[in-house]
Every structure is written in C-alpha cells, then in structure tokens.
Amino acid sequence: MNDPSILGPGAVDPLIALRPWEAPEVTSWGRLPMNAVDRRSGAPPLDGDWRFQLLLAPDAPVGGAWSSARVPGVWTMQDTDDLPQYLNIRMPFAEFPPGSPAANPTGVYEREVDVPAEWAGRRIVLQVGAAESVLLVHVDGRPVGISKDSHLAAEFDLSDVVRPGERATVRLTVVKWSDASHIEDQDQWWHGGITRSVLLYAGHPLHLADVTVRAPYSGELRVDCRVRDAGGALPEGWYLTGEVDGRPLTQDTELDRANVEDERVSDFLGEARLLTTVPEVRTWNAETPELYDLTVRLHRADGTVADTSRHRIGFRDVEIVGRDLLVNGERVFIRGVNRHDFHPLTGRTVSYDDMRADLVVLKRFGFNAIRTAHYPNDPALYDLADELGFYVVDEADIESHDHAHEIADDPRYLNAFVDRVSRMVLRDKNHPSVIIWSLGNESDYGANHDAAAGWVRRHDPTRPIQYEGAAKLDWAATDDASDIACPMYAPLEDCVAHARSGEQTRPLIQCEYSHAMGNSNGTLADHWAAIEATPGLQGGFIWEFWDHGILQRVSNGRPVGRGGAGLYDNGVTAPGYRWAYGGDFGEPEHDGAFIADGVVFPDRTPKPAMYEHRELAAPVRIECYKHEGIVLGNHQHFRGLNWLAGVWELVLADGRTFTAPAELPDLCPGETAAVPLPFEVPRDGGEVWLTLRVTTADDEAWAPRGTEVCVPQIRLRGPAVAAEVAVDGRVEVDGEGHLVHPLLTAAPALSLWRAPTDNDELGGMAPRWRDWGLDALVRKVVSVREDAGRVTVEAEYAGTIGVVRHRQVLTAVEGGVRVEEEAELPEAFHDVARVGTVFETVAGLDLLEWFGQGPWESYPDRSGGAPVGHHSLPVDELFTPYLRPQESGGRHGVRRFTLSAPDATGLMVALDEPRQVSVTRYRAEDLTAAAHHDELVPRPGCVVHIDAAHRGLGTASCGPDTFPSYRVAPGIHRWSWTLRVL
C-alpha cells in the first residue's frame, strides 16, 4: 500500500480517498518499515501544545476556531466533550467488523516546525510514537502517510516534502473509531489522541535500517545489520564496525573476520554481520540484569561515520526443554503481573519517571515478570525492564473480544494480524528482558494467528511464542500457535492434575490467574505452594498492576471535570475529588468498577495483597525450626544472599520484643543451611514468634540500602492456656438481653453479613446472601436468664429461608465481662460471609493496638504477608479505600486488642483464640450503599467485628472462588471474648 497510484485518477487526497478507518486491508500507506534502531536519543521532540480541533467525523471539513491540546496526550482527558468510556468486552458502537460509526470523533492536530538549514541533503523523518486508532499525516497540505496500530510508532520520510531552512506545517489527523478498533477491544478505557511523543530527526540517506542482536549466554555475540539508501544505489567502500563496552569488534577483540558476511555494502539493501566472543561474559537474568553497551557504526568510504545505533544488550538464552521454560539453562518461576500503560491524570500517556516508578514498586514486592497487556508498551519500559531485571511477555496489539470468532479467520484482517505481530518483534527483538512473544489476547484462534506465528518463528527462533486462545483448546497439544500452555484463571486443581497426568507437553504458565479487583487475591499462597511443589507448573501473571481510576473533580456529589490536583500517597483522594470508574462520565454503556482491578491504587499505592505476594516471592525463607536451630533457604534462581542483610526479632505474647543482627549464610540458589537460634527463648511470656527482617545490604537500582525485602517468620512456642475466673458481680443487660456498657453505643450482636466485595458481587455470593436475608436479619429474643452473676441470652435471627439460633453467655470477670457465644446455622445457610459479633463504641477511641497479624490488612485466605506481632495504628488508617467501598480493613489472627483515647482510657478485648477482627468508622450497610468514598460519612465511634469464622476473599470477580476450606459452613460455631475497661 505504498503506491498512491492505486487510488485511481482524480484522487485529490490519498489519505481521505482510502477511507482507511473503514478498510481492514489498509494497515499503512507511506509508513516506513519498523526496525530496532532507536532514534529517540537526541531527536528534538515536537511535544507540547498543538492547535487542535475535534470533528464529528473524519471527513468533516476543518473550520472554525482552533483550541489547543497537549501532545502527547489523549483528548478524552483534556477539555473536550468526548469523554473516556470503559467497556470490558462490548464494543462502544453497534457496527460489526469492519464497520465503524458515522459519528466518529476525529482530532486534528497542527503546528509549525522549523526545519534546520543544516539538514539539507539529509533524510528527514517524522516519528509519531502512538495514536489511537488511525493516524493520517499531512505536511504543508500534502498527504504523507497512514498508520494503524494504536501502540506502536509510525515513521514517515519527509525528505521530499519539507525544505531545510524553512517552516513546515505538520497536521496529524487521528480518527478514534475504525476497523482497527475491533482488534483493539481491550479491557481498558477507550480514549482518542496521540499518546506518545512526536519526534523529527535527520540522518544520512544511506543509513542503518535495522540491527538484530543475538547474544546467547555463551558470550558469542552476533550482530546482523541492514543498510538502506533512501536516494538510490549504494556507493562503494562503505563498511560497518562495532564495539561492546568500548572494545572494538575487530581482530583485537576476537572479531572472526572469516565469518563476517560482506562487511562492505554494495547493494541498495545491504546486509552485514559482526561477530565476536565476549570473554568471561556476565549473563543477564531478572535477578542480576547485567548489561553491555553495544555500538554499531556505518562508515563512509573515507572512514567517517554516517550513522550510529546504540543498544544495551544482555547475554542470555531462553528455551523450552520438555515442559520447562529455561532461562540460561535454569527453570525459573514466573512471578508476573499484567501491566497497561496508564496514568490517572493523563490516561494512556506515561512518562519515563512514571514507568520507572511502576517497575520499582513491582521489584520491591517480589515480581520478576511483566506481560504487556494487551499491546506493546512504551519503548522506555523495555529499557527499564532490561536495566532493573524483569522477564517480559511482549504482547501484540490484538484483541477482538466482542467479535473474536468472526475475526480470527477473516482474511480481511490477515494483514493486520501479521503486521502488528511482526512490527512488535522488529521493534523489541534486541531487549534481553523480552523472553516470550505473545500473539495477542482473547481473539479466539484462527488462521490469522497461525500466519503471525509462522512469521515470528521464521524471523526469531530464539524465543518461544504464547497465545492463550490457541493453547486453551488443549493444554497438551503440540501443533498450535503456542509453545506454552497459558490459560486464564484455570482452577488450581485442574493445573495440578494436568501436571501430574503424564500428558503434559509444554510449560504451564497462566497468563492471568488471580484477579485483583477490590479486596481480592485470596488463595495466592495456596497457588504458590502448589506451583513450587509441582513440576510442570511455573507461575503466572496476576491481573493486573493498576486500578484504572481516573481522578475526577466533584461538587455536591456530581462530577465537574477531569484531572487536577488532589492526589494523596495512600490511595485516597483529597476532598472534592474521587477515583472515577465506568459510568462516572455519564456513559450509558459501561462495565462499572471492573476497571479497578489492580494490585496498586491509581496513585501507585500498594494494596495489602502486595505484601502477600512479597512474602510468597521471598528470596530467603525460614524453612523450619529444629534442634535449637533455624534452617534458612535461598529461593532464588541465580543469586546468592550477599546482597541482603537481616535482623532477628523475637516477639513474645506478653509484649516483650528482642532484636539481634542476623548473619545470613553464604548459600547458592536452592541451598539450605542451619543457623543457631539467635536468642535464648524465655520460659515465660506465652506465645513466641521469631521473625527475620530482611533488607537490601547496599543500594540496588530499584531500592536504596535498608529497603525491606521480606519478613519470614516462624512460631517457636504456642500460646499458654489461661482460664478466666468468674468474680462476684453483676452484668447489666437491657430488656432485650443486650449488654449495657459505658463504652459501647451498640451492644454486641450476631453478624453474618459483610459489605460485599467485588468478588462477592460478581461471583454471585452477595446476591444469594441478599436472597437469604443475611443483610437484614430479624432478631427475636427467646429468653433472658440470670443466675449468680451470669446472664444467658437465647435469641433467634431470622432470614428469609432459615433461622439462626444464637446463645450469648455474659459473665462478670475481674475488670470486665466475658462473652461466650454460640451460633447454629441451618443447612440453608451453607456459605455465608461471616459468623461473629459486631458492636459499636463511643467516640474518641481512635487508636487500635493489637497482638496478631499485621500491620496491614489480612484475611483467612490472604494472610501470609502479615507477620504476627504487636501492632498499632490510628483507627482511620485501618480502612483500605478500595475504589468501590466494600468489606476492608480486617486483620487476621488477632489474639487481643485495645481501643484507646489520647488519655489512655478505653477498652481491651482478649480473644479465646486467633480471630478475624475489623475496626472501622463504617457499618457494613454504610459501605454497601456507597458507590464512591466521597459518599461515605464516618461515624464518630468505632464499628468492631469479631469473627469466629470469616469467608475467604477468592478472586471470583473473574476467576475461581476461594477454596472450600475458607468458606463458612452451616452448623454450630462457638467463640468467646473478654471485654475490659482500660
């Protein structure tokens, strides 16, 4: 499609005549081939404010007053009437592929560019980093080219269009909807605009057209170079040289000239190969990402340099042997996350600093892999992944979710599939971080995928390919377009059964396996226990990194704009702002809070689930306690423990804590060693826990010295059993049998309901609980009996299909009252949210101190990242502000807690055994009724839940529910607790 003559006679503007937004066979016109030569360094960006008009259709005439728009930036996040829209699967318009709507927002960007006079005789190129979804380029009114693919750069040769020393007018027309939109139907906000930088650069007409690096971990470097001349036949005598880390690729550095294929270029398209072997090579992997600086130069016949290409390369191998994915010969666990290019103020436009901050957070929480869901990310991300150490699954910009079956075999989309996959490979092939190519996401499986896979396998045999749509048909197949079985949200028992079946033929690495929507990521520890214990399972990618909340200004509960100030550092917005999700921009068709499904909040604050992942990925672990010693293990693949430092911490239930420096043993990956117990354990003090607080010993690229890496823990002694002794005294109750207490504003009552999590709602549990009436149980007192200072209250709590019998025995003990409870759930209530007690306190008790798991939120099936200890937090900091209000802020395994005022008065609660406890300012009904946090009004006192049993979180919003062992069964539940006044 590079010849405008195809348009026929009389075509005034090839770009409009083609109507490319309607033609799937038109992937480009006038666009230069993709390559791996990085032109970003030193090229002057054309970023900033451009003249801008938003038209209602792509062929509408430009006219009227110009406004301005930031480039890069989406117009949907700027001051336009075209607002963001979130849909997960459904297309935002009714037309079937390849159709697009007539009402088609189209942005026209325009600015003047001064072309330097010294560029005379040079090749002048315009690079548009990314545009959604069709880009049409004009310069001085002349058509230059077309490009599709919203997430890869497009380059256009302007040498014959602009005049050096003069000013040119560049117009970029971006059409929002097109045939291409049907294969960019990804789970994210729909935007429109120019999302990455626009560059203008110049070079010699004879230039490096591509550089392909092969750098296996043997150190035998091969660099294949392609040279093109934009002006005609190549002159005689030109040649290539290269160097690695300053050492020339010549005979002095063991350049094997006998194997160099035609170093001197003599054709229109020239190819040359440079070879060398790097002695004592430092290999690249995600733990020790060793990089080398490679420079390739194209020389004129007189030796002067005409073009240069610089790369940071890593020596590493990737291969599949049997059912194992190997990096440098080692089977590695893939501890991954899916990542979109996202920012709460700018939408799809992300700065270098933002991307670095993303990867630093992931690195600090134990992630070692990224899937670029569902398109190639900004080029800078791959540079950072190379530097900081991440394995990358590079995914093509293909998802046809709403019309997947029709498009997979549609020959009209064949060129688009191959074009998008091949351009991704050509751009990113020299990054050591990229270990797997992905053909896209959720697009069924058809001939178009096979064609793209065939191109990749021919061009780059050094990396495997994955595609969930192919592999899901048969995990054990060997003849499809995926080298890896990469299912989505497969039940863990199915994965384990497959690995043990004897039929497994390839690695099983889930491309999505734990959905982080709201209060979620339950059973993560169970997954990793099975993965690490089962050969053939190698990990997976959590969905996803971000909550895609957009910062929205509100007034009187109504949205009044996008963006602005108001970001806090803890996931909470300032007054007058909120995190917007689907539907908050007035769009009639949307998928609500399903966009808020990340392990970090929109301001990059880690959610509590991140701490769970950090411990599951811990590089050093306490294996066991035996023979008065501790066995430590190195759970890395390539690195020793010398980069880590540690401190031992001994915690006693009575409040005493001891610390001592830890000398970590010199362990190779996979090794274990016993070390002496660093303390003499006191004979008294009750329960005892030993914690190893592990930090970085020196500065790392992703963390300064002293950054906490993990906190493995082991219990050395169980709790002592202490019986409460009744004393003479009277427990006061009212006529309904409610405990009367000076520090309580609502007496202890039975609770079976929690504010539904996103998993509860979308997984179907919350609708069932409502049908059962668990959110509005009706209490009926059966009897109240008092005997020698003990009060026994029998009550029934009626739902719509069953009655819960509840007994509460109140006994006076020294300094307070002991509460013994029993609840009998009928078989009809076969899976409830919780069984426990709820009460409310007077105002002023603003500090919670507890002995149990913490300091962050934890739940029965997500508690491995919260070590047992003595913790303290203000009540207002206990709550986790998930974008849609829901159950949050719970602490698992609590043995006792106090709620106190600044003068140290308050109450203390001791529990019969470790229980799930939450203390917030909100009742469950407050959270259930609110769609956003700006709608919540904190209560002056505390709402306290003590649960005998609390249902796990699971990931049922998109994936498996929690396991049966974490569900609350019918039958008899017993628990007790003691309330005292401080």
Side-chain angles (χ1 to χ4, degrees):
M1 300 302 296
N2 293 320
D3 183 0
S5 66
I6 62 170
L7 303 171
V12 177
D13 187 338
L15 306 190
I16 298 299
L18 278 171
R19 297 184 66 84
W21 53 92
E22 298 178 339
E25 68 275 11
V26 179
T27 60
S28 69
W29 173 79
R31 189 179 67 191
L32 296 172
M34 181 60 79
N35 60 79
V37 180
D38 188 357
R39 303 294 184 181
R40 289 173 290 159
S41 301
L46 302 183
D47 296 348
D49 289 336
W50 287 50
R51 293 190 298 277
F52 180 75
Q53 289 191 27
L54 186 61
L55 309 178
L56 296 179
D59 46 8
V62 177
W66 291 87
S67 61
S68 67
R70 292 186 306 276
V71 173
V74 289
W75 67 66
T76 41
M77 292 295 292
Q78 301 186 47
D79 190 19
T80 72
D81 294 330
D82 189 28
L83 302 176
Q85 181 179 8
Y86 169 61
L87 287 167
N88 174 29
I89 297 172
R90 295 170 293 166
M91 290 296 293
F93 50 82
E95 284 76 5
F96 275 72
S100 56
N104 194 346
T106 299
V108 180
Y109 298 81
E110 191 173 277
R111 65 162 289 173
E112 277 70 50
V113 177
D114 291 319
V115 182
E118 58 268 25
W119 285 8
R122 306 187 75 187
R123 173 175 173 264
I124 302 171
V125 177
L126 176 72
Q127 182 189 95
V128 181
E132 302 182 17
S133 67
V134 177
L135 171 69
L136 301 93
V137 180
H138 294 77
V139 176
D140 290 335
R142 296 175 58 186
V144 172
I146 295 167
S147 180
K148 298 179 186 177
D149 190 343
S150 294
H151 300 281
L152 282 175
E155 291 193 335
F156 305 90
D157 192 334
L158 306 187
S159 305
D160 296 332
V161 182
V162 299
R163 296 181 178 179
E166 297 185 8
R167 175 168 288 190
T169 299
V170 176
R171 175 177 290 183
L172 305 178
T173 303
V174 180
V175 185
K176 184 175 184 179
W177 306 126
S178 70
D179 64 284
S181 301
H182 292 284
I183 55 172
E184 294 179 357
D185 179 19
Q186 293 138 345
D187 183 11
Q188 57 179 333
W189 292 99
W190 287 101
H191 287 295
I194 299 170
T195 58
R196 296 177 190 157
S197 288
V198 179
L199 307 175
L200 190 69
Y201 67 87
H204 198 283
L206 183 57
H207 60 280
L208 286 165
D210 199 10
V211 174
T212 301
V213 176
R214 296 283 189 263
Y217 81 127
S218 64
E220 298 173 354
L221 177 64
R222 177 180 123 190
V223 183
D224 292 311
C225 304
R226 306 188 98 190
V227 178
R228 289 184 184 272
D229 192 333
L234 304 183
E236 294 289 339
W238 290 53
Y239 61 97
L240 290 161
T241 64
E243 60 185 39
V244 175
D245 271 12
R247 295 174 299 179
L249 295 182
T250 64
Q251 196 72 44
D252 292 336
T253 55
E254 303 179 13
L255 175 63
D256 187 354
R257 290 186 176 273
N259 291 323
V260 173
E261 297 180 358
D262 189 17
E263 272 192 68
R264 296 183 177 254
V265 180
S266 58
D267 295 315
F268 176 75
L269 173 62
E271 297 182 355
R273 177 175 295 172
L274 303 176
L275 299 173
T276 191
T277 298
V278 176
E280 299 179 354
V281 65
R282 307 183 309 275
T283 56
W284 187 98
N285 59 73
E287 295 169 14
T288 56
E290 298 283 355
L291 294 175
Y292 288 76
D293 291 319
L294 169 68
T295 303
V296 177
R297 297 185 181 91
L298 173 64
H299 296 265
R300 302 179 182 90
D302 62 4
T304 58
V305 176
D307 200 4
T308 302
S309 183
R310 293 182 174 85
H311 307 263
R312 300 201 77 196
I313 65 170
F315 290 85
R316 63 104 185 92
D317 277 355
V318 181
E319 59 183 332
I320 291 176
V321 176
R323 56 182 186 168
D324 294 327
L325 174 70
L326 307 181
V327 175
N328 298 343
E330 295 290 330
R331 180 176 183 268
V332 297
F333 287 124
I334 300 299
R335 305 181 185 277
V337 72
N338 289 274
R339 180 194 174 276
H340 278 287
D341 281 341
F342 168 78
H343 192 278
L345 298 179
T346 56
R348 203 93 70 226
T349 298
V350 188
S351 71
Y352 175 88
D353 289 341
D354 288 329
M355 286 181 277
R356 186 179 186 91
D358 293 351
L359 299 197
V360 163
V361 167
L362 288 171
K363 197 77 175 177
R364 291 183 183 182
F365 283 89
F367 290 90
N368 69 356
I370 295 167
R371 177 178 174 229
T372 67
H374 298 293
Y375 45 80
N377 284 185
D378 187 289
L381 182 106
Y382 303 82
D383 298 335
L384 289 164
D386 295 341
E387 174 195 343
L388 298 177
F390 284 91
Y391 302 120
V392 173
V393 173
D394 204 4
E395 189 151 276
D397 187 16
I398 299 173
E399 181 173 341
S400 56
H401 210 150
D402 199 13
H403 299 286
H405 183 68
E406 305 98 292
I407 290 177
D409 285 305
D410 189 336
R412 294 175 297 178
Y413 279 92
L414 173 62
N415 288 346
F417 274 59
V418 177
D419 183 66
R420 288 164 181 250
V421 172
S422 63
R423 293 181 77 235
M424 171 187 70
V425 172
L426 288 167
R427 187 193 74 166
D428 297 334
K429 60 190 173 184
N430 294 336
H431 288 281
S433 57
V434 176
I435 65 166
I436 298 169
W437 301 117
S438 169
L439 303 180
N441 184 65
E442 292 178 319
S443 301
D444 208 330
Y445 179 42
N448 294 340
H449 296 97
D450 287 333
W455 188 94
V456 176
R457 288 181 169 134
R458 171 69 176 179
H459 184 82
D460 180 23
T462 70
R463 294 175 175 93
I465 299 171
Q466 75 171 48
Y467 176 57
E468 182 266 343
K472 74 179 180 181
L473 302 177
D474 180 0
W475 291 355
T478 58
D479 59 351
D480 57 39
S482 188
D483 301 316
I484 296 169
C486 47
M488 288 183 176
Y489 309 109
L492 180 60
E493 59 270 24
D494 291 357
C495 297
V496 172
H498 175 66
R500 293 175 177 172
S501 68
E503 299 177 356
Q504 186 178 8
T505 59
R506 51 188 170 180
L508 195 154
I509 303 170
Q510 292 207 59
C511 66
E512 298 173 23
Y513 78 100
S514 182
H515 195 253
M517 185 179 181
N519 192 357
S520 189
N521 300 112
T523 71
L524 203 57
D526 304 82
H527 273 77
W528 274 99
I531 290 167
E532 294 188 358
T534 309
L537 305 185
Q538 276 191 257
F541 296 83
I542 291 174
W543 184 267
E544 62 167 314
F545 179 56
W546 285 103
D547 271 359
H548 291 224
I550 292 176
L551 192 66
Q552 185 178 55
R553 298 192 298 276
V554 291
S555 177
N556 297 321
R558 298 178 63 84
V560 295
R562 290 151 283 174
L567 288 178
Y568 281 359
D569 291 331
N570 58 358
V572 180
T573 60
Y577 294 85
R578 71 182 183 192
W579 297 123
Y581 50 76
D584 287 335
F585 293 103
E587 63 270 41
E589 296 290 329
H590 63 84
D591 285 324
F594 205 71
I595 194 69
D597 50 9
V599 291
V600 301
F601 289 105
D603 65 350
R604 209 179 287 106
T605 298
K607 290 183 181 178
M610 290 283 271
Y611 294 93
E612 181 88 349
H613 187 274
R614 189 182 73 173
E615 293 311 309
L616 299 175
V620 57
R621 305 183 196 173
I622 300 175
E623 306 290 345
C624 61
Y625 165 51
K626 61 182 181 180
H627 306 305
E628 302 304 316
I630 301 296
V631 177
L632 296 180
N634 180 354
H635 282 254
Q636 300 171 104
H637 299 295
F638 299 99
R639 205 173 188 186
L641 300 184
N642 58 342
W643 66 284
L644 299 170
V647 173
W648 292 109
E649 186 179 272
L650 192 72
V651 176
L652 277 66
D654 65 7
R656 286 179 289 171
T657 300
F658 305 92
T659 61
E663 184 174 339
L664 300 180
D666 184 13
L667 294 178
C668 293
E671 288 186 343
T672 62
V675 299
L677 189 66
F679 304 99
E680 182 178 343
V681 179
R683 295 182 178 275
D684 61 344
E687 193 174 2
V688 180
W689 288 84
L690 180 68
T691 305
L692 177 61
R693 296 196 173 273
V694 180
T695 62
T696 53
D698 297 295
D699 290 344
E700 298 284 327
W702 47 272
R705 178 181 180 182
T707 299
E708 193 166 81
V709 174
C710 57
V711 283
Q713 186 180 65
I714 193 169
R715 191 172 74 173
L716 302 184
R717 187 169 68 206
V721 179
E724 293 280 3
V725 179
V727 298
D728 291 338
R730 184 173 183 276
V731 177
E732 184 177 356
V733 297
D734 64 15
E736 294 294 313
H738 293 127
L739 174 66
V740 176
H741 193 280
L743 295 182
L744 303 187
T745 59
L750 179 68
S751 175
L752 306 184
W753 171 259
R754 69 184 180 195
T757 66
D758 293 314
N759 291 331
D760 295 339
E761 290 285 13
L762 297 178
M765 288 74 75
R768 184 172 70 241
W769 297 336
R770 290 190 184 94
D771 290 343
W772 294 350
L774 300 188
D775 57 336
L777 293 172
V778 178
R779 182 177 183 267
K780 175 186 175 183
V781 178
V782 175
S783 66
V784 179
R785 302 189 307 275
E786 185 171 357
D787 180 23
R790 172 178 294 183
V791 177
T792 301
V793 182
E794 302 274 358
E796 293 180 345
Y797 286 78
T800 59
I801 62 169
V803 175
V804 178
R805 293 180 174 83
H806 179 241
R807 176 186 295 125
Q808 196 175 68
V809 179
L810 308 173
T811 306
V813 297
E814 185 176 355
V817 57
R818 177 175 175 80
V819 184
E820 299 170 271
E821 308 201 53
E822 179 181 291
E824 183 178 356
L825 274 63
E827 288 298 321
F829 293 169
H830 56 80
D831 179 11
V832 301
R834 64 179 0 138
V835 177
T837 306
V838 60
F839 60 83
E840 296 179 25
T841 74
V842 298
L845 306 184
D846 298 332
L847 179 67
L848 179 72
E849 299 173 271
W850 75 99
F851 177 54
Q853 293 188 249
W856 28 82
E857 173 192 275
S858 56
Y859 283 84
D861 63 348
R862 202 194 67 214
S863 64
V868 174
H870 299 281
H871 307 288
S872 174
L873 279 174
V875 170
D876 291 337
E877 295 181 17
L878 296 167
F879 185 68
T880 306
Y882 298 108
L883 266 63
R884 188 189 67 79
Q886 57 195 273
E887 162 67 34
S888 80
R891 265 63 181 177
H892 190 60
V894 176
R895 282 79 164 158
R896 67 171 182 268
F897 65 90
T898 63
L899 273 167
S900 60
D903 63 0
T905 61
L907 59 84
M908 180 180 72
V909 173
L911 306 173
D912 59 337
E913 60 181 77
R915 299 290 187 182
Q916 183 79 20
V917 171
S918 71
V919 181
T920 75
R921 299 293 190 195
Y922 309 106
R923 294 175 181 169
E925 55 261 39
D926 299 337
L927 299 172
T928 305
H932 295 87
H933 287 274
D934 60 301
E935 302 168 18
L936 290 170
V937 179
R939 295 181 179 272
C942 299
V943 180
V944 180
H945 279 272
I946 301 169
D947 293 328
H950 195 104
R951 194 183 197 278
L953 301 170
T955 64
S957 56
C958 186
D961 192 7
T962 193
F963 298 156
S965 58
Y966 297 116
R967 298 175 193 171
V968 180
I972 296 176
H973 296 263
R974 297 184 179 91
W975 68 104
S976 63
W977 49 285
T978 303
L979 172 66
R980 289 186 169 88
V981 175
L982 290 177

